[in-house]
């Protein structure tokens, strides 16, 4: 069995070699990933924007969490129409963030501390300010013309394509210089690259090798299922729900061929990890992407559990009031089953595109904020999948819930609002609903301490700090052994010292319980029982698992009751004693 990382808990390895595990051991299945949003992490020069030097300053903090891998959101040169997801130079560092020298210091600083770095790979589109696009739009016979998707105006208007970031909701933008439309699934400043063109693919692979050769440890692959699309651009069927449009945008005919080629050209040459952002992938085709024998991706993340409650006809609306925990649990069960023997999953509850996990899936009231954040960390770190924890969630940061458009920086929110306003839509209703799921909720600056702007900057932050920073901040939580931060650290250590939490078989307990999410994890003779009360009321667990004599490995209340009664947001992991 492969073993490349030197683990502090390597005494487990001998044991595990004879275990009944069906999947292969790999280091990237055993790591805990910390997602870091550079713009909001730490500013060192007072311009209100987080920078690489800020991350360098916080390296010891990052190390102290116990995480193994940092996924850093894009830091490449970009005009920031979509906060770095519109790249104008793949081989340069955004000036606001620092220099390539800073980047090297950061990478070495992470490696010196035994932490790996994965970077964002944004190759469905570039910025319209990228040299390739500047050339491409010059003339129809420019050598770069075929780097993008153009539709000549004499063919008539191109078939409608929706764009979630466009003020007119149209993914085709007319460009008078060559009397053609170009495709942009995202904003008009994010033209889609034409992956049918082998030159585009080889440029991308070269760029990836440039970063891999610098020593990074892999990539998080932005909207990777969109790189291949039906370039005949057929008309969308009338009346189809937005959520059914994926086949027209993503998972095109050559997707698997491209991923396979990328594996051969790049990934196969390095001991690295990758994770694709996989919009539109379902349990039915999941293994086509991550079955090791197919040589495509290692892992991806899907949206089934985070999309739950969000309107299928319009991604801007959410109704979380009646989230049915039973259905939600089943999503995790189904995804766990898919990867039980092949492939491998990921788990996350928040990222830079989402609201804060504590607000959305826990409870951000003063009474339950800490308890529910700890409960969610217990969940993330006890499932059979590689966990991704978004910065700020380690201290239970919460949503800002803004209902005034002036508070927003994200083009996603602003453009949709403008669209509704211009067309007489219900823009106020939109803001009310969107307050709960807007991306800016997850992008507010990291709360380091209780000084002005939470110690994030000495200047004016690019996005206002959440008002609760005086009570919710790292410095305060460092002083308390019962803080979310210290619970998170303990939970990571627990996962790392129990391979059962990584590889153990997952079985739902009391699956129809509407308040409790409970499961066992079992590997060989070791069996763990996880009990999580997702509600703000006491709840009873019905289970055959005998917990008398069990050891409590972790708990977010001072002491579990030890009976089948669980208090609001209570989380417990028991180690069940053998031969029961
Ligand atoms: C992904 C990113 C998101 C970005 C979009 C377009 O979904 O996570 O932040 O806006 O792709 O690149
Ligand atoms: Ca700065």
């Amino acid at each position: 069995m492969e073993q490349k990382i030197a683990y502090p808990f390597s005494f487990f390895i001998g044991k595990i070699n004879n275990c009944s595990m069906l999947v292969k051991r790999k280091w990237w299945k055993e790591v805990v990933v910390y997602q870091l949003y550079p713009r909001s992490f730490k500013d060192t020069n007072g311009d209100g924007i987080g920078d690489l030097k800020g991350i360098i300053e916080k390296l010891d903090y990052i190390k102290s969490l116990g995480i193994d891998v940092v996924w850093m959101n894009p830091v490449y040169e970009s005009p920031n129409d979509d906060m770095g997801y519109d790249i104008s130079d793949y081989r340069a560092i955004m000036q606001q963030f620092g220099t390539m020298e800073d980047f090297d210091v950061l990478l070495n600083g992470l490696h010196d501390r035994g932490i790996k770095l994965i970077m964002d790979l944004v190759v469905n589109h570039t910025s319209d300010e990228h040299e390739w696009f500047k050339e491409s739009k010059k003339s129809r016979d420019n050598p770069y013309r075929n780097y993008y998707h153009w539709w000549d105006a004499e063919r008539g208007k191109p078939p409608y394509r929706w764009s979630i970031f466009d003020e007119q909701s149209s993914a085709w933008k007319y460009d008078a210089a060559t009397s053609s439309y170009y495709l942009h699934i995202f904003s008009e400043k994010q033209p889609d690259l034409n992956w049918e063109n082998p030159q585009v693919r080889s440029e991308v692979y070269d760029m990836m090798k440039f970063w891999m050769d610098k020593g990074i440890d892999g990539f998080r692959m932005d909207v990777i299922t969109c790189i291949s699309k039906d370039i005949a651009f057929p008309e969308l069927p009338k009346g189809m729900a937005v959520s059914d449009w994926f086949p027209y945008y993503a998972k095109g005919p050559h997707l698997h061929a491209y991923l396979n080629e990328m594996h051969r050209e790049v990934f196969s040459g390095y001991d690295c990890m990758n994770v694709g952002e996989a919009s539109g992938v379902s349990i039915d085709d999941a293994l086509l992407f991550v079955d090791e024998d197919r040589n495509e991706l290692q892992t991806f993340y899907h949206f089934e559990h985070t999309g739950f409650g969000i309107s299928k006809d319009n991604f801007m609306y959410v109704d979380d009031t009646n989230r049915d925990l039973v259905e939600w649990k089943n999503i995790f069960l189904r995804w766990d089953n898919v990867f039980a023997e092949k492939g491998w999953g990921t788990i996350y509850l928040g990222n830079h595109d989402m609201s804060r996990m504590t607000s959305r899936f826990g409870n951000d009231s003063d009474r339950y904020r800490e308890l529910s954040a700890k409960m969610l960390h217990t969940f993330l770190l006890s499932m059979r999948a590689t966990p991704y924890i978004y910065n700020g969630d380690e201290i239970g940061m919460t949503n800002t819930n803004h209902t005034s458009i002036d508070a927003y920086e994200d083009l996603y929110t602003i453009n949709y609002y403008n669209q509704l306003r211009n067309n007489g839509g219900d823009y106020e209703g939109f803001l009310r609903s969107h307050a709960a799921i807007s991306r800016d909720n997850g992008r507010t600056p990291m709360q380091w301490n209780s000084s002005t702007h939470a110690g994030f900057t000495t200047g004016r932050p690019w996005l206002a700090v959440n008002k609760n920073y005086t009570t919710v901040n790292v410095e305060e939580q460092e002083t308390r052994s019962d803080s979310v931060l210290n619970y998170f650290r303990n939970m990571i250590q627990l996962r790392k010292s129990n391979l059962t939490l990584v590889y153990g078989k997952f079985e739902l307990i009391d699956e129809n319980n509407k308040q409790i999410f409970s499961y066992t994890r079992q590997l060989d003779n070791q069996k763990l029982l996880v009990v999580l009360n997702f509600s703000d009321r006491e709840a009873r667990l019905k289970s055959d698992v005998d917990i008398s004599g069990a050891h409590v490995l972790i708990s977010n209340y001072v002491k579990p009751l030890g009976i089948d009664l669980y208090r609001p947001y209570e989380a417990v992991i028991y180690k069940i004693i053998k031969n029961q």
Side-chain angles (χ1 to χ4, degrees), residues 37 71 73 82-83 85-86 120 122 125 164-165 186 190 220 222-223 277 279 301 303 351-353 410-411 439 443:
Y37 194 69
W71 152 29
N73 286 99
D82 184 21
M83 298 307 165
Y85 282 92
D86 47 322
D120 243 282
V122 189
H125 43 267
I164 59 171
F165 290 172
F186 296 93
Q190 293 168 297
R220 173 270 185 185
D222 192 61
V223 291
E277 186 192 24
S279 321
Y301 61 88
F303 294 90
N351 62 34
H352 66 293
D353 290 332
D410 184 10
L411 84 168
R439 307 198 298 180
R443 297 179 179 184

Side-chain angles (χ1 to χ4, degrees), residues 5 7-9 27 30-36 41 55 58-72 109-111 113-118 273 377 381 386-394 485 488-493 495-496:
I5 284 188
Y7 286 94
F9 49 96
W27 63 262
E30 299 175 16
V31 296
V32 176
V33 183
Y34 183 63
Q35 183 194 342
L36 195 154
F41 202 63
I55 306 173
K58 295 293 181 187
L59 279 171
D60 288 335
Y61 169 76
I62 296 169
K63 170 75 185 163
S64 79
L65 299 174
I67 56 94
D68 310 282
V69 177
V70 166
W71 152 29
M72 185 164 70
L110 287 167
H111 284 171
R113 289 166 178 79
I115 299 171
K116 294 181 184 286
L117 177 66
I118 63 175
M273 72 180 270
H377 284 308
L381 293 160
T386 300
Y388 283 69
I389 284 84
Y390 183 54
N391 62 193
D393 285 346
E394 74 271 30
L485 179 60
F488 173 66
R489 288 173 171 143
N490 293 339
M491 191 57 220
I492 288 187
Q493 289 317 313
R495 184 176 179 90
K496 293 174 89 169

Side-chain angles (χ1 to χ4, degrees), residues 43-51 96:
D43 173 29
T44 54
N45 63 351
D47 66 356
I49 296 171
D51 41 52
Q96 290 178 331

Side-chain angles (χ1 to χ4, degrees), residues 331-506:
I331 295 174
F332 291 94
L333 176 66
R334 286 199 300 273
W335 278 97
D336 181 82
N337 284 338
V338 173
F339 301 130
E341 294 179 22
K342 275 177 171 257
W344 188 252
T346 62
I347 184 164
Y348 71 100
L349 289 175
N351 62 34
H352 66 293
D353 290 332
M354 268 161 218
S355 48
R356 284 283 170 189
M357 73 167 192
T358 305
S359 299
R360 177 117 191 270
F361 300 104
N363 183 325
D364 60 13
S365 67
D366 288 346
R367 182 158 180 206
Y368 292 130
R369 187 189 59 247
E370 293 221 333
L371 273 172
S372 67
K374 291 175 194 172
M375 185 275 289
L376 295 172
H377 284 308
T378 318
F379 174 56
L380 287 167
L381 293 160
S382 65
M383 292 288 283
R384 177 159 61 175
T386 300
Y388 283 69
I389 284 84
Y390 183 54
N391 62 193
D393 285 346
E394 74 271 30
I395 55 167
M397 278 175 61
T398 63
N399 281 355
T400 44
N401 287 320
H402 289 304
T403 49
S404 152
I405 191 66
D406 302 331
Y408 287 98
E409 287 293 332
D410 184 10
L411 84 168
Y412 182 22
T413 307
I414 296 169
N415 288 354
Y416 196 72
Y417 173 89
N418 286 342
Q419 192 190 122
L420 288 172
R421 250 205 119 128
N422 298 338
N423 303 332
D426 179 14
Y427 59 91
E428 283 164 344
F430 158 69
L431 272 185
R432 270 195 307 277
S433 166
H434 198 61
I437 52 166
S438 86
R439 307 198 298 180
D440 280 345
N441 276 314
R443 297 179 179 184
T444 60
M446 186 69 190
Q447 294 165 205
W448 294 106
N449 57 43
S450 59
S451 69
T452 321
H453 303 311
F456 163 70
T457 179
T458 53
R460 191 170 158 269
W462 72 277
L463 182 66
V465 172
N466 190 315
K467 290 199 181 62
N468 64 13
Y469 73 92
T470 50
T471 43
V472 182
N473 64 65
V474 172
E475 195 175 275
E476 190 279 328
Q477 297 202 14
E478 289 286 8
T479 65
R480 269 189 299 128
S481 60
D482 68 345
S483 63
V484 182
L485 179 60
N486 283 316
Y487 186 92
F488 173 66
R489 288 173 171 143
N490 293 339
M491 191 57 220
I492 288 187
Q493 289 317 313
L494 187 64
R495 184 176 179 90
K496 293 174 89 169
S497 53
N498 279 279
L499 278 180
T500 305
L501 285 176
V502 179
Y503 293 110
K505 186 166 174 233
F506 168 90

